[in-house]
């Protein structure tokens, strides 16, 4: 190898060889990594709470809780750091809990702060709590790691909560023709955190709450994944008998008619595949006529519940289903202010088609 080639190879090796001392990597045991955050309203200021795993105290198990109070959302982090022996990092935050009182006052400033901070991931969950957020976090520290975020994830995947995270909240809040919805939680009488429906917003303020029982009908209209569960009062021989129904999959479709009139109409079509998971023994699920009767009653029940839900949202002039965006996509002269003036008067017709796949086991 001649001298020139040797020099070229040497320079290439120097360029490829990883340099040391040029980066400032953060070692996990030298920082405090926040996994849950909470925000409450207290005496006109914001009370922030956060949980983080503690590894450096011998014999100590489970996460710790830190609290801070400030006039701004970013001031909360400064308050946390004032109490910490190591730098606090929020990049691994899995869930943000907001107390109902703060949500009713407005969360626009918090959403703006989170949007500006590229460290917090868009997959982070956001929930509204009936109880104070610091109480929710205090209960969670006695549970398994990531208890709160896993609670939301599990119910989105297997139960009645429609999918949501910071990304969807940003999209709904900053978009036009739609409003924000966020899961609602509470501490039950057994001191366990549980889902209790959905918080519905108009702009940045919480305006109403959808009950946990009605969350499934919200999910059927909003979510692409339409699995969930609901109890159904089946009328048989003049008597109400409770059946447990599971929706497996389906499709929803919104179509507009008479858009240019003063009272436009929206047709909602919902096609569902369902299972009867549980039924009394004396109801013969092998009888085709019986199954047809159950199917018809489920269709009427789901149709009524979904229409009642839409009407209740109209009464508060909230639009989490994005009907405004639907109209906007079909009218280049669409005006948001004008649309929401007539939105409460829009007529909705709901058509539900149910396919019963099979029956469960009676008891």
């Amino acid at each position: 190898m001649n001298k020139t080639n040797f020099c070229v190879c040497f320079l290439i090796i120097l360029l490829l060889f990883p340099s040391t001392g040029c980066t400032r990597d953060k070692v996990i045991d030298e920082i405090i990594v926040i996994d849950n955050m909470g925000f409450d309203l207290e005496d006109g200021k914001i009370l922030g709470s956060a949980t983080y795993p503690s590894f450096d105290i011998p014999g100590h198990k489970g996460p710790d809780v830190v609290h801070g109070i400030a006039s701004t959302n970013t001031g909360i982090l400064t308050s946390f750091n004032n109490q910490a022996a190591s730098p606090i990092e929020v990049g691994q935050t899995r869930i943000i809990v907001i107390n109902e009182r703060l949500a009713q006052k407005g969360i626009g400033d918090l959403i703006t702060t989170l949007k500006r901070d590229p460290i917090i991931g868009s997959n982070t969950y956001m929930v509204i709590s009936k109880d104070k957020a610091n109480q929710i976090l205090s209960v969670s520290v006695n549970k398994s790691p990531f208890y709160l975020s896993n609670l939301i994830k599990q119910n989105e995947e297997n139960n009645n909560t429609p999918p949501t995270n910071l990304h969807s909240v940003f999209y709904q809040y900053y978009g036009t023709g739609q409003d924000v919805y966020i899961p609602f939680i509470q501490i039950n009488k057994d001191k366990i955190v549980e889902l209790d429906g959905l918080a519905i917003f108009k702009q940045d303020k919480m305006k109403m709450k959808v009950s946990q029982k009605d969350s499934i009908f919200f999910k059927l209209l909003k979510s692409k994944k339409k699995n969930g569960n609901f109890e159904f009062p089946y009328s048989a021989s003049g008597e109400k008998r409770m059946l447990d129904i599971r929706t497996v999959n389906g499709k929803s479709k919104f179509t507009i008619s008479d858009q240019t009139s003063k009272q436009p109409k929206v047709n909602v079509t919902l096609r569902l595949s369902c299972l009867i998971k549980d039924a009394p023994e004396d109801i013969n699920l092998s009888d085709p006529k019986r199954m047809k009767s159950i199917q018809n009653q489920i269709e009427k029940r789901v149709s009524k519940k979904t229409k009642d839900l839409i009407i209740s949202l109209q009464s508060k002039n909230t639009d989490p289903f994005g009907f405004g965006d639907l109209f906007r996509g079909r009218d280049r002269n669409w005006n948001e202010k004008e649309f929401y003036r007539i939105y409460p008067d829009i007529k909705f017709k709901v058509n539900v088609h149910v396919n019963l796949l099979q029956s469960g086991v009676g008891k």
Side-chain angles (χ1 to χ4, degrees):
M1 178 182 297
N2 58 39
K3 186 176 181 179
T4 300
N5 289 339
F6 176 82
C7 291
V8 171
C9 291
F10 183 74
L11 287 172
I12 292 174
I13 291 172
L14 285 178
L15 291 171
L16 294 176
F17 195 83
S19 60
T20 58
C22 297
T23 60
R24 299 182 62 183
D25 296 328
K26 296 178 180 178
V27 182
I28 189 67
D29 58 0
E30 295 179 356
I31 60 174
I32 294 175
V33 181
I34 299 297
D35 50 19
N36 302 318
M37 293 183 68
F39 294 89
D40 292 298
L41 191 63
E42 187 167 295
D43 298 327
K45 292 189 175 183
I46 301 170
L47 172 64
S49 307
T51 63
Y52 60 91
S54 180
F55 304 108
D56 57 350
I57 303 177
H60 180 79
K61 294 183 180 180
D64 282 330
V65 183
V66 62
H67 304 284
I69 193 164
S71 298
T72 63
N73 298 299
T74 53
I76 293 296
L77 188 58
T78 301
S79 182
F80 289 164
N81 273 298
N82 290 340
Q83 308 168 54
S86 301
I88 287 181
E89 295 292 331
V90 298
Q92 296 299 314
T93 302
R94 291 174 176 260
I95 193 166
I96 296 170
V97 184
I98 303 169
N99 176 250
E100 184 178 9
R101 282 186 59 222
L102 179 56
Q104 290 170 343
K105 182 181 179 182
I107 60 173
D109 289 344
L110 178 58
I111 290 177
T112 300
T113 299
L114 295 170
K115 184 73 166 61
R116 288 174 178 170
D117 191 343
I119 297 176
I120 298 179
S122 61
N123 288 327
T124 300
Y125 292 115
M126 180 180 282
V127 295
I128 307 300
S129 63
K130 178 181 179 180
D131 308 277
K132 287 188 175 182
N134 64 351
Q135 294 176 336
I136 297 287
L137 297 192
S138 295
V139 170
S140 73
V141 297
N142 299 316
K143 302 295 183 179
S144 58
F146 314 129
Y147 166 72
L148 290 177
S149 57
N150 287 341
L151 172 69
I152 305 302
K153 182 179 180 181
Q154 185 277 132
N155 276 274
E156 285 185 357
E157 294 179 349
N158 304 302
N159 208 20
N160 298 343
T161 302
T164 177
N165 54 29
L166 274 186
H167 176 78
S168 63
V169 169
F170 292 158
Y171 180 78
Q172 293 157 4
Y173 181 71
Y174 289 105
T176 55
Q178 58 192 312
D179 288 312
V180 175
Y181 69 89
I182 301 175
F184 193 94
I185 62 175
Q186 68 172 3
I187 301 173
N188 65 19
K189 62 181 180 179
D190 297 318
K191 305 301 180 183
I192 297 174
V193 179
E194 66 179 4
L195 280 155
D196 189 39
L198 298 167
I200 310 298
F201 286 72
K202 185 64 180 179
Q203 297 177 346
D204 74 330
K205 293 178 175 61
M206 179 180 167
K207 289 299 182 182
M208 64 174 289
K209 174 178 167 287
V210 175
S211 71
Q212 181 62 16
K213 285 187 176 181
D214 287 340
S215 292
I216 175 61
F217 304 107
F218 188 102
K219 183 177 184 179
L220 293 178
L221 290 174
K222 183 68 177 180
S223 175
K224 290 183 179 179
K225 191 174 183 181
K226 301 192 183 300
N227 59 320
N229 305 275
F230 63 94
E231 290 185 332
F232 164 63
Y234 171 61
S235 297
S237 302
E239 185 180 357
K240 296 284 186 181
R241 313 300 300 278
M242 295 305 296
L243 307 182
D244 188 41
I245 308 298
R246 177 163 181 82
T247 58
V248 179
N249 54 56
K251 292 183 178 180
S252 57
K253 184 179 180 181
F254 304 146
T255 56
I256 304 169
S257 60
D258 300 330
Q259 179 167 345
T260 57
S261 70
K262 293 183 179 180
Q263 193 177 61
K265 300 179 179 63
V266 176
N267 296 310
V268 178
T269 303
L270 192 57
R271 299 183 183 277
L272 301 172
S273 295
C274 301
L275 300 172
I276 302 176
K277 296 294 291 182
D278 197 13
E281 283 185 345
D282 59 340
I283 294 181
N284 183 8
L285 300 180
S286 299
D287 181 2
K289 290 184 178 180
R290 176 73 70 182
M291 292 296 286
K292 183 64 177 177
S293 172
I294 294 173
Q295 175 185 316
N296 291 338
Q297 290 192 35
I298 292 176
E299 290 175 344
K300 291 179 181 179
R301 174 76 172 179
V302 174
S303 177
K304 183 180 186 307
K305 295 294 287 184
T306 51
K307 186 171 183 178
D308 288 348
L309 174 60
I310 293 171
I311 291 173
S312 68
L313 294 168
Q314 285 180 285
S315 70
K316 298 294 184 179
N317 208 18
T318 59
D319 185 19
F321 295 128
F323 291 117
D325 190 48
L326 179 70
F327 276 72
R328 184 178 66 89
R330 289 159 175 77
D331 182 2
R332 65 176 63 188
N333 297 316
W334 182 84
N335 179 275
E336 186 170 25
K337 184 177 180 179
E338 177 62 22
F339 174 79
Y340 287 108
R341 187 184 67 79
I342 67 168
Y343 169 65
D345 298 321
I346 293 176
K347 297 298 181 182
F348 287 86
K349 182 179 180 181
V350 181
N351 297 291
V352 179
H353 307 278
V354 169
N355 177 30
L356 289 178
L357 299 178
Q358 63 185 60
S359 63
V361 179
K363 65 177 181 180

